[in-house]
């Protein structure tokens, strides 16, 4: 939906997002310090994405923690819609959060691969176009270290036999006027996309426990609908922890987009491509070395600093030191970017080894691991 200077839907975000306003518009809550403390008490630490407030808002996170402490437990659900290009580093941020939560809380994770979504949203011209990326995406996700026996990765086109009946029940409870108001559907929207939210809601019904969804705030509309109808299907309302949208390399208002390669670091980029992209990235640096030395830079608007904050500097003290070295002109952009290039290339090199290893494990995640085997016999019962 459009909110004046910017618009946010599950398929597109444009303009400079005012997150304070968005929290109000969406009716979600910011993650408070006491909630973070509660998580820290249970898990022993806090992931940088939480303590740096990149995951900044939520629905019912307090109830999730109550369920955990009472022994009822909860489960995690997230997903990735394959497109006509490989995944980039912004795509893996919610998965990194999900994996951390699985490790700390020892819970099941369901990962939906909606291989029809981009086609229905008219982002690709044929279903075949996404096919080469489906397997690649699954391997990229499997490589992030999920528990093979507590994780089920499934693609809609393959698992639809189990999903269809509950999707029909979900769809029956959602009126078109509600869906239109939530998603901004119009006369040009395919009827497939209008039904599609029902499929995205089905995994929230997999267990009679509270689902927790780590995702970008742009995905919240789906789960607002779920929360309307869940009690009628004798299931818990979905809870969420919601992230801001990661910046692209061309500025704080840009998003990483596979269709604009210079905005994004793709997971299969060569070391040379990473270097070229980071060296050309938008920074908060000054026009000349002299000015930078004298006036300092502006890490708050720097895409390089943003990516240090998100994934490439875990140590808070070192991050702060980098911030002040920039602010006071002690650090120059060339040096700062070269270090990020090195860190990203190390990460991608390690990731590609893990992807090769994931080839061996993928059938456990999808078909014959403990949870996957159970899910192929799953039937929805209220
Ligand atoms: Fe950004 Fe680093 Fe340059 Fe500061 S020194 S503006 S953090 S690239």
């Amino acid at each position: 939906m459009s909110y004046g200077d910017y618009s946010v839907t599950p398929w597109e975000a444009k303009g400079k997002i005012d997150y304070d306003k968005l929290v109000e518009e969406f009716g979600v809550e910011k993650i408070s310090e006491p909630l973070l403390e509660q998580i820290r008490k249970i898990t022993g630490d806090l992931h940088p994405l939480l303590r740096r407030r990149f995951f900044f808002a939520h629905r019912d996170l307090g109830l999730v923690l109550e369920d955990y402490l009472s022994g009822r437990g909860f489960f995690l659900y997230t997903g990735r819609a394959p497109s006509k290009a490989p995944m980039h580093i912004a795509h893996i941020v919610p998965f990194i959060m999900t994996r951390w939560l699985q490790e700390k809380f020892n819970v099941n994770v369901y990962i939906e691969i909606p291989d029809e979504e981009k086609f229905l949203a008219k982002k690709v011209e044929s279903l075949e176009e996404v096919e080469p990326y489906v397997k690649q995406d699954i391997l990229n996700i499997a490589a992030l270290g999920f528990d093979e026996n507590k994780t089920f990765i499934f693609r809609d086109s393959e698992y639809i036999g189990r999903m269809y009946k509950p999707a029909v029940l979900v769809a029956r409870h959602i009126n078109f006027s509600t869906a239109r108001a939530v998603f901004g559907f119009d006369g040009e929207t395919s009827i497939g996309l209008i039904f599609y939210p029902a499929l995205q809601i089905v995994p929230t019904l997999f267990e009679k426990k509270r689902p927790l969804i780590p995702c970008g705030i742009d995905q919240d509309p789906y789960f607002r609908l779920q929360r309307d109808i869940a009690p009628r299907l004798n299931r818990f309302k979905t809870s969420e922890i919601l992230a801001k949208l990661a910046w692209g390399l061309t500025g704080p208002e840009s998003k990483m987009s596979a269709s604009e390669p210079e905005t994004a670091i793709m997971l299969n980029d060569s070391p040379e491509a990473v270097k070229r992209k980071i060296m050309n990235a938008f920074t908060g640096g000054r026009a000349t070395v002299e000015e930078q030395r004298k006036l300092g830079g502006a890490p708050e608007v720097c895409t390089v600093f943003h990516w240090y904050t998100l994934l490439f500097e875990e140590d808070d003290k070192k991050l702060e030191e980098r911030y002040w070295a920039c602010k006071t002109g002690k650090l120059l952009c060339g040096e700062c970017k070269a270090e990020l290039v090195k860190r990203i290339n190390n990460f991608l090199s390690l990731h590609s080894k893990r992807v090769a290893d994931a080839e061996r494990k993928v059938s456990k995640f999808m078909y014959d691991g403990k949870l996957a085997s159970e899910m192929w016999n799953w039937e929805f019962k209220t």
Side-chain angles (χ1 to χ4, degrees):
M1 300 295 281
S2 186
Y3 305 102
D5 297 345
Y6 61 93
S7 68
V8 178
T9 73
W11 306 288
E12 203 161 50
K14 281 191 199 146
K16 186 173 180 343
I17 299 169
D18 181 333
Y19 286 104
D20 288 338
K21 266 199 198 153
L22 203 57
V23 161
E24 274 175 38
E25 294 284 353
F26 280 14
V28 297
E29 284 178 63
K30 287 199 179 165
I31 300 179
S32 65
E33 196 53 49
L35 262 182
L36 286 182
E37 258 325 294
Q38 221 183 326
I39 297 173
R40 197 197 302 268
K41 232 167 130 186
I42 296 169
T43 63
D45 62 2
L46 274 183
H47 194 279
L49 290 167
L50 273 173
R51 61 177 192 259
R52 292 175 188 165
R53 307 294 178 101
F54 186 67
F55 278 85
F56 76 112
H58 75 102
R59 289 185 189 274
D60 289 350
L61 183 56
L63 295 179
V64 171
L65 299 178
E66 269 177 35
D67 284 354
Y68 176 77
L69 292 170
S70 74
R72 181 194 282 139
F74 66 94
F75 66 96
L76 291 157
Y77 160 43
T78 190
R80 152 80 187 153
S83 184
K84 55 182 174 185
M87 289 169 79
H88 49 64
I89 54 172
H91 286 137
I92 61 171
V93 170
F95 291 102
I96 288 175
M97 190 74 254
T98 307
R99 196 208 69 84
W100 184 85
L101 289 164
Q102 180 182 52
E103 185 192 315
K104 296 293 175 185
F105 291 93
N106 191 26
V107 291
N108 289 342
V109 173
Y110 299 92
I111 299 174
E112 183 178 23
I113 306 294
D115 45 3
E116 75 283 46
E117 182 182 352
K118 294 287 191 227
F119 180 64
L120 294 176
K122 301 181 184 167
K123 300 287 180 193
V124 298
E125 292 310 311
S126 71
L127 286 169
E128 288 68 37
E129 226 176 309
V130 301
E131 201 51 41
Y133 300 102
V134 173
K135 187 176 173 216
Q136 232 184 74
D137 288 3
I138 291 172
L139 286 173
N140 275 318
I141 294 164
L144 294 172
F146 290 97
D147 181 332
E148 294 161 32
N149 286 311
K150 286 184 172 269
T151 305
F152 178 44
I153 304 179
F154 58 99
R155 38 190 304 192
D156 284 3
S157 61
E158 207 172 47
Y159 195 61
I160 189 68
R162 296 279 159 197
M163 294 172 83
Y164 189 64
K165 197 171 146 193
V168 167
L169 295 176
V170 168
R172 154 103 190 188
H173 288 298
I174 302 172
N175 295 328
F176 176 61
S177 56
T178 310
R180 183 175 51 192
V182 170
F183 293 108
F185 292 148
D186 62 24
E188 297 303 307
T189 308
S190 74
I191 58 170
L193 195 65
I194 295 164
F195 178 74
Y196 171 73
L199 286 170
Q200 182 136 349
I201 287 171
V202 168
T204 67
L205 316 175
F206 279 169
E207 296 187 22
K208 281 194 174 176
K209 293 179 184 172
R210 200 178 303 278
L212 173 62
I213 303 181
C215 61
I217 193 163
D218 56 332
Q219 299 299 306
D220 174 71
Y222 285 113
F223 307 112
R224 245 180 278 156
L225 284 187
Q226 192 275 0
R227 289 170 62 85
D228 280 350
I229 62 144
R232 278 179 269 170
L233 296 172
N234 198 20
R235 286 294 192 275
F236 283 95
K237 290 183 179 186
T238 287
S239 50
E240 299 161 68
I241 48 169
L242 299 163
K244 294 175 184 169
L245 304 185
W247 298 358
L249 298 176
T250 49
E253 286 174 34
S254 69
K255 306 284 166 298
M256 287 206 170
S257 163
S259 55
E260 296 167 66
E262 294 311 303
T263 62
I265 302 291
M266 316 307 288
L267 292 178
N268 62 350
D269 267 347
S270 67
E272 296 72 32
V274 170
K275 186 171 179 190
R276 190 192 67 243
K277 291 178 184 182
I278 295 298
M279 286 317 206
N280 289 323
F282 178 91
T283 71
R286 303 279 173 180
T288 64
V289 170
E290 291 68 37
E291 272 186 52
Q292 178 108 351
R293 290 267 184 237
K294 201 167 139 206
L295 303 168
E300 321 54 36
V301 297
C302 175
T303 64
V304 171
F305 191 77
H306 179 73
W307 280 96
Y308 274 115
T309 309
L310 254 56
L311 293 185
F312 298 104
E313 181 54 87
E314 280 203 15
D315 186 321
D316 289 348
K317 192 161 169 273
K318 287 188 180 153
L319 188 71
E320 201 183 337
E321 281 166 10
R322 183 173 296 278
Y323 178 91
W324 286 111
C326 169
K327 280 298 245 191
T328 54
K330 289 194 186 95
L331 180 64
L332 297 179
C333 293
E335 187 192 328
C336 191
K337 288 179 187 174
E339 178 60 25
L340 185 63
V341 169
K342 204 167 86 193
R343 291 186 193 195
I344 294 177
N345 279 334
N346 284 345
F347 171 82
L348 293 184
S349 151
L350 190 63
H351 183 72
S352 77
K353 288 190 192 111
R354 288 178 177 150
V355 165
D357 196 39
E359 291 260 12
R360 209 171 38 80
K361 300 181 194 160
V362 83
S363 82
K364 283 211 151 199
F365 287 118
M366 298 188 74
Y367 308 110
D368 45 32
K370 186 170 175 295
L371 183 62
S373 306
E374 281 168 23
M375 289 310 293
W376 281 98
N377 292 314
W378 177 75
E379 268 184 53
F380 178 72
K381 292 192 187 85
T382 53

